[in-house]
Every structure is written in C-alpha cells, then in structure tokens.
Amino acid sequence: MPEITLRSAAADSPESVVLLAAYEAELVSLGVTLNHGWAGGVTPSQLAPPLGAWLVGWRGEDAVACGGVRLLSPEVCEIKRMYVDPSARGAGLARRLLTALEGAGVDLGARIARLDTGRDMAPAVGLYRASGYVEIEDYNGNPDAGWWFEKQLSAAG
C-alpha cells in the first residue's frame, strides 16, 4: 500500500469536494442531522490562508482524508472538519491528520485548539482525549449532536 501523505489543498478543490460529499453521506447514513460544518455557515474562504488551512491526505492518486482549521480569535483556532475514508482507517492516519491540523493552528498563531465532532465521530473521541483534548460542552447544547473539545497548544514562536 502506498504511503499516505498529507498536503495543503484549496478548500474547494475537486478532491476536497469528493471527500466532503463522502463525509456528509456518512453522517446521513448514521441518522445525523447536518447541523454543523458547511451547513453551519463555514465557507471555504474561512479555511483558506491567511486565517485558515485545508489538508488532504493522499494514498497514491486517491484522496483518502481531509481536514480544515480556521482562526477564531488571535489565540484560538478551530479544527472544523476531519474525515478519514473507511478504506484508509487505521495505520494512525487520523492521529497524523489531527497533528497536522494542530500544527497548522500553531502556524496561524493559535495557542488553543477547539475541536468539534459530531456523533459520527464517537469512535475518535478516545483519540482526542489521548491527544490531550478536554471535553468542554455538548455541541450546541445537544448531547446527541456531538461534543466540543479544547486543547492547549504550544505557544507559537
């Protein structure tokens, strides 16, 4: 299996569009109402430089993961979306993507990362906690929708 590499991409690039469509389809298949992410008003421009970043993971010619981060304030970035294709799960890809998004947040000047995850990402909650994220509240006050996590990042510098 070819090595999976992560690299920056335009938020509206064809590979991102394909992966986002897969993410949304997976949410719908789990019975999750699309009440966050793009549907919550986040636009591709908010994930673009200089105040955001978008990463796509590649395995050969196939895009298999994506994630975005945006600066919410001078010190807080939000990891807004993270998706790993079922065919590429395992092998530490989710952790690598999360680490890369944290790094992008530090590059933006953030010291705190805020991560939102829907109910579909429940299996990843253990990863977030193991990575130092602390649950701070239910998503939009709705425990069925997901969770908010925060993590103190290294000071940019």
Side-chain angles (χ1 to χ4, degrees), residues 1-155:
M1 177 187 310
E3 173 69 14
I4 295 173
T5 59
L6 296 169
R7 66 177 187 256
S8 299
D12 58 352
S13 63
E15 62 274 8
S16 295
V17 170
V18 168
L19 284 165
L20 288 173
Y23 179 94
E24 304 291 9
E26 191 168 325
L27 286 173
V28 170
S29 74
L30 291 163
V32 177
T33 301
L34 300 180
N35 64 350
H36 63 291
W38 260 221
V42 177
T43 65
S45 64
Q46 290 176 303
L47 300 179
L51 299 179
W54 186 253
L55 298 169
V56 172
W58 295 85
R59 182 174 58 200
E61 296 296 314
D62 298 322
V64 294
C66 63
V69 62
R70 65 176 177 152
L71 203 62
L72 292 181
S73 75
E75 290 195 340
V76 180
C77 70
E78 181 176 59
I79 295 174
K80 192 62 194 161
R81 185 178 290 266
M82 197 169 99
Y83 174 78
V84 177
D85 188 275
S87 70
R89 290 186 181 156
L93 179 57
R95 183 177 297 278
R96 288 175 55 201
L97 180 57
L98 184 59
T99 299
L101 291 170
E102 290 172 359
V106 170
D107 289 345
L108 292 172
R111 295 185 179 185
I112 297 174
R114 189 174 191 192
L115 182 150
D116 76 285
T117 177
R119 185 173 60 188
D120 63 304
M121 292 299 291
V125 168
L127 168 63
Y128 302 144
R129 290 182 176 142
S131 299
Y133 283 85
V134 177
E135 185 175 342
I136 56 171
E137 61 183 274
D138 292 332
Y139 188 89
N140 288 344
N142 179 355
D144 291 330
W147 309 267
W148 284 111
F149 290 88
E150 278 189 354
K151 179 181 182 180
Q152 186 76 32
L153 300 175
S154 300

